[in-house]
Amino acid sequence: MRYPILRSGPTLDQVRAYGGLLATILFQLCFPLAAVAQSQAARYRVYETVEGALRYHTESAPIAPRVILLSLVLIALEVGLWALLKRLFEAPPTAVLASIFILLTISVVYQCYITPPSASLKHFLTILLGLAGFLAAIPLAKLGSQAYIPARYLRWGLIAIWVLCGLNIVLGFLNLTNGSAAFIQFLGVSLQPGELLKLTLILFTGLSFVQLKEDKRLRRLFLITMAVAFCTLLVVRDLGNALILAAVALLLFYLVCGPLPALAAAAGGAALLLVGYQLLALISPDSYILKRVADVGRALTSPEANDNLRQALLAVVRGGIFGKGLEHSLYATGNYAARTDFCFDAIVSIFGIGLGVLIVGCYMAMLLANRALLHTSRHDAAQFTFANLMTGLLCVQALVHIGGNLNLIPLTGVCLPLISSGGTNMLTTLLCLGFAAGCRLSEPLAARLEEGTARLAGGTARRLRPLAGRLRGRLSQLRKE
């Protein structure tokens, strides 16, 4: 008598993975359609110089074909990435991947509405480059966290960071705009030296964590380099990146030394910051930093507060839960910084407070998901520190941007990760997420890669062995002749 073969049903992890993927795809289909139904055309300003004066005029363009096409491309990329990561990891990082593509979908739709078609396509190209960097960073994180780099090479790396600090200062003094250093154009993408400096320091920390704990001289030189980088960002008036770098440094201090020394360092840093603020008030009472600090909590009540910030907060209040659409949000099309510095307020004014809550939820989901998978990497101190720094960088940057937009902390001009326009911001954020995810790359996969490399080397040796024998025979024949 034949008995039927019993097949086990899907596990809870599989249900969560497929459910998260389907929910994300549903959002990527529904949100662009709802946005197109709410506003049929994009509105944006075009600036031009006329007789030495900067003037602008407002233009509009049809939005539906571009938004729907780019959203479908994002869905195809998400499905492909999910299938690939399912093979790379024991359990695919569905929460991280879903949060990334929800934020990217919001970014693509929003940038299509407030920027010219060429600028929105350029922004989408930056997203594609960032996703390629995300994939490349996954194996590099595994290799980097396990590699041991000699101290002499690490010192050369610190020298390169000092050179990057000098580049920041030079570019900052050549072209200083709104508190941020000048931008470098590379392959059509805007690169900000401050962002590159911040990412370079974190990569160096992750790659040299073991050596920093063992070599006192290297650790001392590294601390000096961190202080120089922080002062460099302050000199070029890049306050946002300076605050993020300080927060990441405190996180590193906590991971290396424990909670009490980190708390003492935070208290000492706060005291130094207060002293510096008082000195700045004496030396330069008209500094823009003092004005931004004074605007905290009073943008709606004080006539002397930043007008852009006041308009942004009023737009958030008028937006309501579901938003008023682009036609009723003049702030989004009228503010030149709506695509970068005031991104969160402009999105809420167009699409509603509900979407703003979803954005905050996506950042929290990435943080909690990375924290959960970091526990599996805790046996490797360098790997654990590497992933913590990458995740901390993303969350601190989002906190600084949203807090500044809501007038809870000083406005710093920091971009909103995965949403704001800007090549460096998008590339560095996706690289950081790739490095954080790569720290828990499946061990069986790593073993298979190692086995495949050994098999390839063995096959190459077998093919070269007959050739080497013929060469030896030819050489011996030549000697006899």
Side-chain angles (χ1 to χ4, degrees), residues 216-285:
K216 291 184 178 180
R217 182 180 177 187
L218 181 65
R219 183 165 62 247
R220 193 181 305 117
L221 186 59
F222 174 74
L223 292 175
I224 295 174
T225 304
M226 288 283 283
V228 170
F230 179 76
C231 294
T232 299
L233 294 174
L234 288 180
V235 166
V236 299
R237 298 169 61 188
D238 197 351
L239 182 60
N241 280 325
L243 289 176
I244 293 172
L245 184 61
V248 172
L250 281 177
L251 175 61
L252 175 63
F253 204 76
Y254 167 75
L255 294 172
V256 175
C257 303
L260 291 180
L263 186 61
L272 289 176
L273 190 63
L274 182 60
V275 172
Y277 180 80
Q278 297 297 332
L279 290 175
L280 183 63
L282 293 175
I283 298 173
S284 179

Side-chain angles (χ1 to χ4, degrees), residues 203-456:
L203 287 176
F204 180 88
T205 305
L207 293 173
S208 62
F209 180 73
V210 176
Q211 294 90 323
L212 287 174
K213 294 189 72 174
E214 296 175 352
D215 191 335
K216 291 184 178 180
R217 182 180 177 187
L218 181 65
R219 183 165 62 247
R220 193 181 305 117
L221 186 59
F222 174 74
L223 292 175
I224 295 174
T225 304
M226 288 283 283
V228 170
F230 179 76
C231 294
T232 299
L233 294 174
L234 288 180
V235 166
V236 299
R237 298 169 61 188
D238 197 351
L239 182 60
N241 280 325
L243 289 176
I244 293 172
L245 184 61
V248 172
L250 281 177
L251 175 61
L252 175 63
F253 204 76
Y254 167 75
L255 294 172
V256 175
C257 303
L260 291 180
L263 186 61
L272 289 176
L273 190 63
L274 182 60
V275 172
Y277 180 80
Q278 297 297 332
L279 290 175
L280 183 63
L282 293 175
I283 298 173
S284 179
D286 296 329
S287 172
Y288 89 103
I289 295 178
L290 299 179
K291 294 178 181 178
R292 291 191 176 185
V293 173
D295 287 343
V296 174
R298 64 186 193 108
L300 293 176
T301 58
S302 174
E304 299 177 356
N306 187 308
D307 185 62
N308 270 341
L309 186 56
R310 182 188 303 108
Q311 295 298 327
L313 291 174
L314 290 174
V316 170
V317 174
R318 297 190 191 106
I321 297 178
F322 300 106
K324 299 297 184 182
L326 190 66
E327 290 81 3
H328 302 283
S329 181
L330 298 177
Y331 166 76
T333 57
N335 189 348
Y336 69 93
R339 67 183 69 176
T340 52
D341 297 0
F342 293 97
C343 197
F344 183 79
D345 283 346
I347 288 176
V348 172
S349 69
I350 298 173
F351 302 112
I353 298 174
L355 192 65
V357 173
L358 177 62
I359 291 173
V360 176
C362 286
Y363 291 125
M364 292 300 298
M366 282 191 283
L367 175 63
L368 295 176
N370 278 320
R371 287 296 304 171
L373 56 89
L374 285 178
H375 289 300
T376 63
S377 306
R378 204 175 182 101
H379 64 278
D380 188 338
Q383 195 168 309
F384 180 72
T385 304
F386 203 21
N388 263 292
L389 290 174
M390 293 301 168
T391 309
L393 173 64
L394 171 70
C395 295
V396 170
Q397 185 169 338
L399 178 66
V400 170
H401 177 95
I402 296 174
N405 273 221
L406 297 180
N407 200 216
L408 302 176
I409 62 174
L411 191 66
T412 59
V414 169
C415 293
L416 187 61
L418 298 176
I419 293 182
S420 292
S421 175
T424 318
N425 167 58
M426 188 66 68
L427 293 175
T428 55
T429 302
L430 287 170
L431 279 174
C432 289
L433 289 171
F435 281 122
C439 287
R440 69 146 193 166
L441 192 62
S442 173
E443 295 298 337
L445 174 70
R448 288 201 301 271
L449 290 175
E450 186 177 351
E451 181 183 353
T453 305
R455 190 183 302 117
L456 178 63

Side-chain angles (χ1 to χ4, degrees), residues 42 47 85 218 370 462:
Y47 291 88
L85 295 182
L218 181 65
N370 278 320
R462 283 194 300 271

Side-chain angles (χ1 to χ4, degrees), residues 12-60:
L12 183 59
D13 289 339
Q14 290 175 338
V15 172
R16 288 176 179 171
Y18 285 101
L21 177 64
L22 292 176
T24 307
I25 293 175
L26 183 63
F27 173 83
Q28 290 176 285
L29 289 173
C30 294
F31 175 67
L33 294 176
V36 169
Q38 189 184 50
S39 302
Q40 298 292 329
R43 292 179 58 189
Y44 49 87
R45 284 185 176 183
V46 177
Y47 291 88
E48 55 186 356
T49 304
V50 179
E51 298 179 353
L54 184 64
R55 303 182 184 277
Y56 68 88
H57 62 277
T58 302
E59 293 184 358
S60 62

